[in-house]
PDB file of all heavy atoms in Angstrom:
ATOM      1  N   PHE W   1      -1.241  14.594   9.458  1.00  0.00           N
ATOM      2  CA  PHE W   1      -1.803  14.236  10.754  1.00  0.00           C
ATOM      3  C   PHE W   1      -0.770  13.591  11.685  1.00  0.00           C
ATOM      4  O   PHE W   1      -0.965  13.554  12.901  1.00  0.00           O
ATOM      5  CB  PHE W   1      -2.988  13.288  10.572  1.00  0.00           C
ATOM      6  CG  PHE W   1      -4.100  13.857   9.745  1.00  0.00           C
ATOM      7  CD1 PHE W   1      -4.318  13.427   8.444  1.00  0.00           C
ATOM      8  CD2 PHE W   1      -4.939  14.840  10.261  1.00  0.00           C
ATOM      9  CE1 PHE W   1      -5.350  13.955   7.683  1.00  0.00           C
ATOM     10  CE2 PHE W   1      -5.972  15.375   9.505  1.00  0.00           C
ATOM     11  CZ  PHE W   1      -6.185  14.930   8.207  1.00  0.00           C
ATOM     12  N   PHE W   2       0.328  13.087  11.097  1.00  0.00           N
ATOM     13  CA  PHE W   2       1.367  12.440  11.892  1.00  0.00           C
ATOM     14  C   PHE W   2       2.732  12.971  11.454  1.00  0.00           C
ATOM     15  O   PHE W   2       3.453  12.304  10.699  1.00  0.00           O
ATOM     16  CB  PHE W   2       1.299  10.918  11.734  1.00  0.00           C
ATOM     17  CG  PHE W   2       0.051  10.318  12.319  1.00  0.00           C
ATOM     18  CD1 PHE W   2      -1.063  10.074  11.517  1.00  0.00           C
ATOM     19  CD2 PHE W   2      -0.019  10.003  13.662  1.00  0.00           C
ATOM     20  CE1 PHE W   2      -2.218   9.539  12.055  1.00  0.00           C
ATOM     21  CE2 PHE W   2      -1.173   9.460  14.212  1.00  0.00           C
ATOM     22  CZ  PHE W   2      -2.274   9.236  13.410  1.00  0.00           C
ATOM     23  N   PRO W   3       3.086  14.183  11.903  1.00  0.00           N
ATOM     24  CA  PRO W   3       4.365  14.798  11.497  1.00  0.00           C
ATOM     25  C   PRO W   3       5.558  13.897  11.818  1.00  0.00           C
ATOM     26  O   PRO W   3       5.557  13.149  12.796  1.00  0.00           O
ATOM     27  CB  PRO W   3       4.397  16.085  12.322  1.00  0.00           C
ATOM     28  CG  PRO W   3       2.959  16.381  12.630  1.00  0.00           C
ATOM     29  CD  PRO W   3       2.306  15.045  12.812  1.00  0.00           C
ATOM     30  N   GLY W   4       6.566  14.005  10.949  1.00  0.00           N
ATOM     31  CA  GLY W   4       7.781  13.229  11.148  1.00  0.00           C
ATOM     32  C   GLY W   4       7.809  11.913  10.393  1.00  0.00           C
ATOM     33  O   GLY W   4       8.779  11.163  10.498  1.00  0.00           O
ATOM     34  N   ASN W   5       6.761  11.641   9.611  1.00  0.00           N
ATOM     35  CA  ASN W   5       6.698  10.384   8.870  1.00  0.00           C
ATOM     36  C   ASN W   5       6.767  10.574   7.360  1.00  0.00           C
ATOM     37  O   ASN W   5       6.452   9.650   6.601  1.00  0.00           O
ATOM     38  CB  ASN W   5       5.416   9.631   9.237  1.00  0.00           C
ATOM     39  CG  ASN W   5       5.440   9.099  10.651  1.00  0.00           C
ATOM     40  OD1 ASN W   5       6.082   8.091  10.939  1.00  0.00           O
ATOM     41  ND2 ASN W   5       4.771   9.783  11.566  1.00  0.00           N
ATOM     42  N   GLY W   6       7.173  11.771   6.942  1.00  0.00           N
ATOM     43  CA  GLY W   6       7.280  12.010   5.513  1.00  0.00           C
ATOM     44  C   GLY W   6       5.930  11.950   4.833  1.00  0.00           C
ATOM     45  O   GLY W   6       4.912  12.404   5.361  1.00  0.00           O
ATOM     46  N   CYS W   7       5.908  11.337   3.635  1.00  0.00           N
ATOM     47  CA  CYS W   7       4.684  11.219   2.848  1.00  0.00           C
ATOM     48  C   CYS W   7       4.050   9.854   3.083  1.00  0.00           C
ATOM     49  O   CYS W   7       4.750   8.845   3.214  1.00  0.00           O
ATOM     50  CB  CYS W   7       5.021  11.386   1.366  1.00  0.00           C
ATOM     51  SG  CYS W   7       3.602  11.608   0.274  1.00  0.00           S
ATOM     52  N   TYR W   8       2.726   9.803   3.162  1.00  0.00           N
ATOM     53  CA  TYR W   8       2.036   8.532   3.348  1.00  0.00           C
ATOM     54  C   TYR W   8       0.695   8.566   2.627  1.00  0.00           C
ATOM     55  O   TYR W   8       0.245   9.612   2.157  1.00  0.00           O
ATOM     56  CB  TYR W   8       1.866   8.202   4.838  1.00  0.00           C
ATOM     57  CG  TYR W   8       1.425   9.349   5.722  1.00  0.00           C
ATOM     58  CD1 TYR W   8       0.090   9.533   6.063  1.00  0.00           C
ATOM     59  CD2 TYR W   8       2.357  10.247   6.240  1.00  0.00           C
ATOM     60  CE1 TYR W   8      -0.313  10.572   6.891  1.00  0.00           C
ATOM     61  CE2 TYR W   8       1.964  11.300   7.064  1.00  0.00           C
ATOM     62  CZ  TYR W   8       0.631  11.457   7.384  1.00  0.00           C
ATOM     63  OH  TYR W   8       0.231  12.497   8.199  1.00  0.00           O
ATOM     64  N   VAL W   9       0.057   7.399   2.540  1.00  0.00           N
ATOM     65  CA  VAL W   9      -1.157   7.244   1.740  1.00  0.00           C
ATOM     66  C   VAL W   9      -2.382   7.165   2.645  1.00  0.00           C
ATOM     67  O   VAL W   9      -2.433   6.352   3.572  1.00  0.00           O
ATOM     68  CB  VAL W   9      -1.095   5.969   0.872  1.00  0.00           C
ATOM     69  CG1 VAL W   9      -2.348   5.855  -0.004  1.00  0.00           C
ATOM     70  CG2 VAL W   9       0.156   5.962   0.009  1.00  0.00           C
ATOM     71  N   ASP W  10      -3.364   8.012   2.371  1.00  0.00           N
ATOM     72  CA  ASP W  10      -4.690   7.867   2.965  1.00  0.00           C
ATOM     73  C   ASP W  10      -5.451   6.915   2.056  1.00  0.00           C
ATOM     74  O   ASP W  10      -5.750   7.237   0.901  1.00  0.00           O
ATOM     75  CB  ASP W  10      -5.389   9.227   3.046  1.00  0.00           C
ATOM     76  CG  ASP W  10      -6.782   9.139   3.674  1.00  0.00           C
ATOM     77  OD1 ASP W  10      -7.316   8.018   3.790  1.00  0.00           O
ATOM     78  OD2 ASP W  10      -7.336  10.188   4.040  1.00  0.00           O
ATOM     79  N   LEU W  11      -5.748   5.703   2.559  1.00  0.00           N
ATOM     80  CA  LEU W  11      -6.340   4.662   1.721  1.00  0.00           C
ATOM     81  C   LEU W  11      -7.804   4.907   1.375  1.00  0.00           C
ATOM     82  O   LEU W  11      -8.389   4.152   0.591  1.00  0.00           O
ATOM     83  CB  LEU W  11      -6.174   3.301   2.404  1.00  0.00           C
ATOM     84  CG  LEU W  11      -4.723   2.795   2.474  1.00  0.00           C
ATOM     85  CD1 LEU W  11      -4.632   1.550   3.354  1.00  0.00           C
ATOM     86  CD2 LEU W  11      -4.178   2.503   1.083  1.00  0.00           C
ATOM     87  N   ASP W  12      -8.404   5.943   1.960  1.00  0.00           N
ATOM     88  CA  ASP W  12      -9.769   6.338   1.597  1.00  0.00           C
ATOM     89  C   ASP W  12      -9.686   7.775   1.115  1.00  0.00           C
ATOM     90  O   ASP W  12      -9.641   8.718   1.904  1.00  0.00           O
ATOM     91  CB  ASP W  12     -10.709   6.206   2.802  1.00  0.00           C
ATOM     92  CG  ASP W  12     -12.170   6.428   2.442  1.00  0.00           C
ATOM     93  OD1 ASP W  12     -12.448   6.821   1.292  1.00  0.00           O
ATOM     94  OD2 ASP W  12     -13.026   6.209   3.316  1.00  0.00           O
ATOM     95  N   GLY W  13      -9.639   7.952  -0.215  1.00  0.00           N
ATOM     96  CA  GLY W  13      -9.409   9.284  -0.785  1.00  0.00           C
ATOM     97  C   GLY W  13     -10.530  10.263  -0.517  1.00  0.00           C
ATOM     98  O   GLY W  13     -11.198  10.188   0.516  1.00  0.00           O
ATOM     99  N   SER W  14     -10.752  11.153  -1.437  1.00  0.00           N
ATOM    100  CA  SER W  14     -11.715  12.243  -1.225  1.00  0.00           C
ATOM    101  C   SER W  14     -12.915  12.152  -2.166  1.00  0.00           C
ATOM    102  O   SER W  14     -13.448  13.169  -2.630  1.00  0.00           O
ATOM    103  CB  SER W  14     -10.993  13.585  -1.415  1.00  0.00           C
ATOM    104  OG  SER W  14      -9.963  13.729  -0.469  1.00  0.00           O
ATOM    105  N   THR W  15     -13.350  10.915  -2.442  1.00  0.00           N
ATOM    106  CA  THR W  15     -14.518  10.716  -3.297  1.00  0.00           C
ATOM    107  C   THR W  15     -15.559   9.831  -2.611  1.00  0.00           C
ATOM    108  O   THR W  15     -16.451   9.292  -3.276  1.00  0.00           O
ATOM    109  CB  THR W  15     -14.105  10.066  -4.637  1.00  0.00           C
ATOM    110  OG1 THR W  15     -13.462   8.815  -4.356  1.00  0.00           O
ATOM    111  CG2 THR W  15     -13.175  10.965  -5.428  1.00  0.00           C
ATOM    112  N   ASN W  16     -15.420   9.678  -1.286  1.00  0.00           N
ATOM    113  CA  ASN W  16     -16.323   8.803  -0.522  1.00  0.00           C
ATOM    114  C   ASN W  16     -16.268   7.352  -0.985  1.00  0.00           C
ATOM    115  O   ASN W  16     -17.244   6.610  -0.862  1.00  0.00           O
ATOM    116  CB  ASN W  16     -17.764   9.321  -0.581  1.00  0.00           C
ATOM    117  CG  ASN W  16     -17.916  10.655   0.134  1.00  0.00           C
ATOM    118  OD1 ASN W  16     -17.478  10.808   1.277  1.00  0.00           O
ATOM    119  ND2 ASN W  16     -18.513  11.629  -0.545  1.00  0.00           N
ATOM    120  N   ALA W  17     -15.138   6.955  -1.523  1.00  0.00           N
ATOM    121  CA  ALA W  17     -14.946   5.566  -1.956  1.00  0.00           C
ATOM    122  C   ALA W  17     -13.461   5.226  -1.867  1.00  0.00           C
ATOM    123  O   ALA W  17     -12.619   5.964  -2.404  1.00  0.00           O
ATOM    124  CB  ALA W  17     -15.451   5.356  -3.378  1.00  0.00           C
ATOM    125  N   SER W  18     -13.145   4.126  -1.188  1.00  0.00           N
ATOM    126  CA  SER W  18     -11.748   3.711  -1.026  1.00  0.00           C
ATOM    127  C   SER W  18     -11.234   3.007  -2.271  1.00  0.00           C
ATOM    128  O   SER W  18     -11.930   2.171  -2.862  1.00  0.00           O
ATOM    129  CB  SER W  18     -11.617   2.754   0.169  1.00  0.00           C
ATOM    130  OG  SER W  18     -12.076   3.357   1.357  1.00  0.00           O
ATOM    131  N   GLY W  19     -10.005   3.335  -2.653  1.00  0.00           N
ATOM    132  CA  GLY W  19      -9.373   2.645  -3.763  1.00  0.00           C
ATOM    133  C   GLY W  19      -8.771   1.315  -3.315  1.00  0.00           C
ATOM    134  O   GLY W  19      -8.649   1.032  -2.115  1.00  0.00           O
ATOM    135  N   LEU W  20      -8.418   0.489  -4.284  1.00  0.00           N
ATOM    136  CA  LEU W  20      -7.744  -0.780  -4.019  1.00  0.00           C
ATOM    137  C   LEU W  20      -6.291  -0.627  -4.463  1.00  0.00           C
ATOM    138  O   LEU W  20      -5.958  -0.780  -5.642  1.00  0.00           O
ATOM    139  CB  LEU W  20      -8.428  -1.919  -4.781  1.00  0.00           C
ATOM    140  CG  LEU W  20      -7.796  -3.307  -4.657  1.00  0.00           C
ATOM    141  CD1 LEU W  20      -7.816  -3.790  -3.209  1.00  0.00           C
ATOM    142  CD2 LEU W  20      -8.512  -4.309  -5.565  1.00  0.00           C
ATOM    143  N   LEU W  21      -5.423  -0.294  -3.513  1.00  0.00           N
ATOM    144  CA  LEU W  21      -4.013  -0.031  -3.828  1.00  0.00           C
ATOM    145  C   LEU W  21      -3.304  -1.360  -4.067  1.00  0.00           C
ATOM    146  O   LEU W  21      -3.268  -2.229  -3.186  1.00  0.00           O
ATOM    147  CB  LEU W  21      -3.353   0.720  -2.671  1.00  0.00           C
ATOM    148  CG  LEU W  21      -1.926   1.221  -2.924  1.00  0.00           C
ATOM    149  CD1 LEU W  21      -1.929   2.287  -4.022  1.00  0.00           C
ATOM    150  CD2 LEU W  21      -1.320   1.777  -1.645  1.00  0.00           C
ATOM    151  N   THR W  22      -2.731  -1.522  -5.281  1.00  0.00           N
ATOM    152  CA  THR W  22      -2.216  -2.819  -5.704  1.00  0.00           C
ATOM    153  C   THR W  22      -0.852  -2.682  -6.371  1.00  0.00           C
ATOM    154  O   THR W  22      -0.592  -1.725  -7.102  1.00  0.00           O
ATOM    155  CB  THR W  22      -3.182  -3.488  -6.696  1.00  0.00           C
ATOM    156  OG1 THR W  22      -4.484  -3.574  -6.106  1.00  0.00           O
ATOM    157  CG2 THR W  22      -2.717  -4.880  -7.079  1.00  0.00           C
ATOM    158  N   LYS W  23      -0.002  -3.672  -6.107  1.00  0.00           N
ATOM    159  CA  LYS W  23       1.270  -3.786  -6.819  1.00  0.00           C
ATOM    160  C   LYS W  23       1.581  -5.260  -7.008  1.00  0.00           C
ATOM    161  O   LYS W  23       1.375  -6.075  -6.108  1.00  0.00           O
ATOM    162  CB  LYS W  23       2.413  -3.107  -6.056  1.00  0.00           C
ATOM    163  CG  LYS W  23       3.701  -3.016  -6.866  1.00  0.00           C
ATOM    164  CD  LYS W  23       4.732  -2.149  -6.187  1.00  0.00           C
ATOM    165  CE  LYS W  23       6.001  -2.036  -7.036  1.00  0.00           C
ATOM    166  NZ  LYS W  23       5.734  -1.342  -8.330  1.00  0.00           N
ATOM    167  N   SER W  24       2.106  -5.597  -8.204  1.00  0.00           N
ATOM    168  CA  SER W  24       2.387  -6.988  -8.545  1.00  0.00           C
ATOM    169  C   SER W  24       3.883  -7.270  -8.482  1.00  0.00           C
ATOM    170  O   SER W  24       4.709  -6.415  -8.840  1.00  0.00           O
ATOM    171  CB  SER W  24       1.861  -7.300  -9.955  1.00  0.00           C
ATOM    172  OG  SER W  24       2.041  -8.660 -10.267  1.00  0.00           O
ATOM    173  N   PHE W  25       4.226  -8.488  -8.026  1.00  0.00           N
ATOM    174  CA  PHE W  25       5.624  -8.889  -7.902  1.00  0.00           C
ATOM    175  C   PHE W  25       5.805 -10.287  -8.504  1.00  0.00           C
ATOM    176  O   PHE W  25       4.945 -11.153  -8.346  1.00  0.00           O
ATOM    177  CB  PHE W  25       6.062  -8.924  -6.437  1.00  0.00           C
ATOM    178  CG  PHE W  25       6.001  -7.598  -5.750  1.00  0.00           C
ATOM    179  CD1 PHE W  25       4.850  -7.222  -5.053  1.00  0.00           C
ATOM    180  CD2 PHE W  25       7.075  -6.723  -5.799  1.00  0.00           C
ATOM    181  CE1 PHE W  25       4.792  -5.997  -4.410  1.00  0.00           C
ATOM    182  CE2 PHE W  25       7.021  -5.500  -5.156  1.00  0.00           C
ATOM    183  CZ  PHE W  25       5.874  -5.132  -4.469  1.00  0.00           C
ATOM    184  N   ASN W  26       6.937 -10.485  -9.164  1.00  0.00           N
ATOM    185  CA  ASN W  26       7.296 -11.813  -9.656  1.00  0.00           C
ATOM    186  C   ASN W  26       8.040 -12.550  -8.542  1.00  0.00           C
ATOM    187  O   ASN W  26       9.137 -12.149  -8.134  1.00  0.00           O
ATOM    188  CB  ASN W  26       8.173 -11.709 -10.906  1.00  0.00           C
ATOM    189  CG  ASN W  26       7.403 -11.182 -12.098  1.00  0.00           C
ATOM    190  OD1 ASN W  26       6.258 -11.570 -12.330  1.00  0.00           O
ATOM    191  ND2 ASN W  26       8.018 -10.293 -12.871  1.00  0.00           N
ATOM    192  N   LEU W  27       7.444 -13.638  -8.072  1.00  0.00           N
ATOM    193  CA  LEU W  27       7.992 -14.374  -6.939  1.00  0.00           C
ATOM    194  C   LEU W  27       8.345 -15.800  -7.350  1.00  0.00           C
ATOM    195  O   LEU W  27       7.765 -16.356  -8.278  1.00  0.00           O
ATOM    196  CB  LEU W  27       6.977 -14.403  -5.789  1.00  0.00           C
ATOM    197  CG  LEU W  27       6.452 -13.039  -5.316  1.00  0.00           C
ATOM    198  CD1 LEU W  27       5.474 -13.230  -4.164  1.00  0.00           C
ATOM    199  CD2 LEU W  27       7.599 -12.115  -4.911  1.00  0.00           C
ATOM    200  N   LEU W  28       9.294 -16.378  -6.644  1.00  0.00           N
ATOM    201  CA  LEU W  28       9.787 -17.719  -6.942  1.00  0.00           C
ATOM    202  C   LEU W  28       9.078 -18.776  -6.106  1.00  0.00           C
ATOM    203  O   LEU W  28       8.797 -18.556  -4.924  1.00  0.00           O
ATOM    204  CB  LEU W  28      11.294 -17.794  -6.681  1.00  0.00           C
ATOM    205  CG  LEU W  28      12.171 -16.834  -7.495  1.00  0.00           C
ATOM    206  CD1 LEU W  28      13.619 -16.928  -7.041  1.00  0.00           C
ATOM    207  CD2 LEU W  28      12.056 -17.127  -8.989  1.00  0.00           C
ATOM    208  N   ALA W  29       8.826 -19.915  -6.714  1.00  0.00           N
ATOM    209  CA  ALA W  29       8.151 -21.012  -6.020  1.00  0.00           C
ATOM    210  C   ALA W  29       8.949 -21.464  -4.805  1.00  0.00           C
ATOM    211  O   ALA W  29      10.189 -21.525  -4.837  1.00  0.00           O
ATOM    212  CB  ALA W  29       7.951 -22.180  -6.976  1.00  0.00           C
ATOM    213  N   ASN W  30       8.243 -21.756  -3.727  1.00  0.00           N
ATOM    214  CA  ASN W  30       8.803 -22.320  -2.504  1.00  0.00           C
ATOM    215  C   ASN W  30       9.803 -21.407  -1.798  1.00  0.00           C
ATOM    216  O   ASN W  30      10.553 -21.866  -0.939  1.00  0.00           O
ATOM    217  CB  ASN W  30       9.456 -23.681  -2.796  1.00  0.00           C
ATOM    218  CG  ASN W  30       8.474 -24.665  -3.394  1.00  0.00           C
ATOM    219  OD1 ASN W  30       7.338 -24.779  -2.941  1.00  0.00           O
ATOM    220  ND2 ASN W  30       8.893 -25.355  -4.452  1.00  0.00           N
ATOM    221  N   ASN W  31       9.810 -20.121  -2.160  1.00  0.00           N
ATOM    222  CA  ASN W  31      10.596 -19.137  -1.427  1.00  0.00           C
ATOM    223  C   ASN W  31       9.705 -18.482  -0.374  1.00  0.00           C
ATOM    224  O   ASN W  31       8.502 -18.308  -0.588  1.00  0.00           O
ATOM    225  CB  ASN W  31      11.162 -18.072  -2.362  1.00  0.00           C
ATOM    226  CG  ASN W  31      12.436 -18.513  -3.046  1.00  0.00           C
ATOM    227  OD1 ASN W  31      13.435 -17.804  -3.049  1.00  0.00           O
ATOM    228  ND2 ASN W  31      12.425 -19.700  -3.641  1.00  0.00           N
ATOM    229  N   SER W  32      10.290 -18.118   0.726  1.00  0.00           N
ATOM    230  CA  SER W  32       9.545 -17.460   1.804  1.00  0.00           C
ATOM    231  C   SER W  32       9.678 -15.949   1.673  1.00  0.00           C
ATOM    232  O   SER W  32      10.792 -15.427   1.596  1.00  0.00           O
ATOM    233  CB  SER W  32      10.078 -17.906   3.169  1.00  0.00           C
ATOM    234  OG  SER W  32       9.910 -19.301   3.333  1.00  0.00           O
ATOM    235  N   TYR W  33       8.541 -15.254   1.659  1.00  0.00           N
ATOM    236  CA  TYR W  33       8.529 -13.802   1.515  1.00  0.00           C
ATOM    237  C   TYR W  33       7.823 -13.166   2.710  1.00  0.00           C
ATOM    238  O   TYR W  33       6.844 -13.712   3.239  1.00  0.00           O
ATOM    239  CB  TYR W  33       7.821 -13.393   0.228  1.00  0.00           C
ATOM    240  CG  TYR W  33       8.551 -13.823  -1.025  1.00  0.00           C
ATOM    241  CD1 TYR W  33       8.261 -15.046  -1.628  1.00  0.00           C
ATOM    242  CD2 TYR W  33       9.528 -13.018  -1.595  1.00  0.00           C
ATOM    243  CE1 TYR W  33       8.936 -15.457  -2.778  1.00  0.00           C
ATOM    244  CE2 TYR W  33      10.207 -13.417  -2.742  1.00  0.00           C
ATOM    245  CZ  TYR W  33       9.902 -14.638  -3.331  1.00  0.00           C
ATOM    246  OH  TYR W  33      10.579 -15.037  -4.461  1.00  0.00           O
TER     247      TYR W  33
END
C-alpha cells in the first residue's frame, strides 16, 4: 500500500484479531533509552 518502504508489518492480520507484537530487551538501570 506504500511503495518504496520495503517490507512492513500490518498489525491487524487476516483473522479479524490483532496480534500483540512483542520483543524483549535487557536494559541497564538509570540509562536513558
Side-chain angles (χ1 to χ4, degrees):
F1 301 106
F2 293 95
N5 290 283
C7 192
Y8 44 97
V9 182
D10 181 345
L11 291 171
D12 188 353
S14 298
T15 58
N16 294 310
S18 302
L20 177 62
L21 187 65
T22 305
K23 189 171 182 64
S24 184
F25 297 92
N26 291 318
L27 305 181
L28 300 175
N30 302 316
N31 277 230
S32 298
Y33 294 92

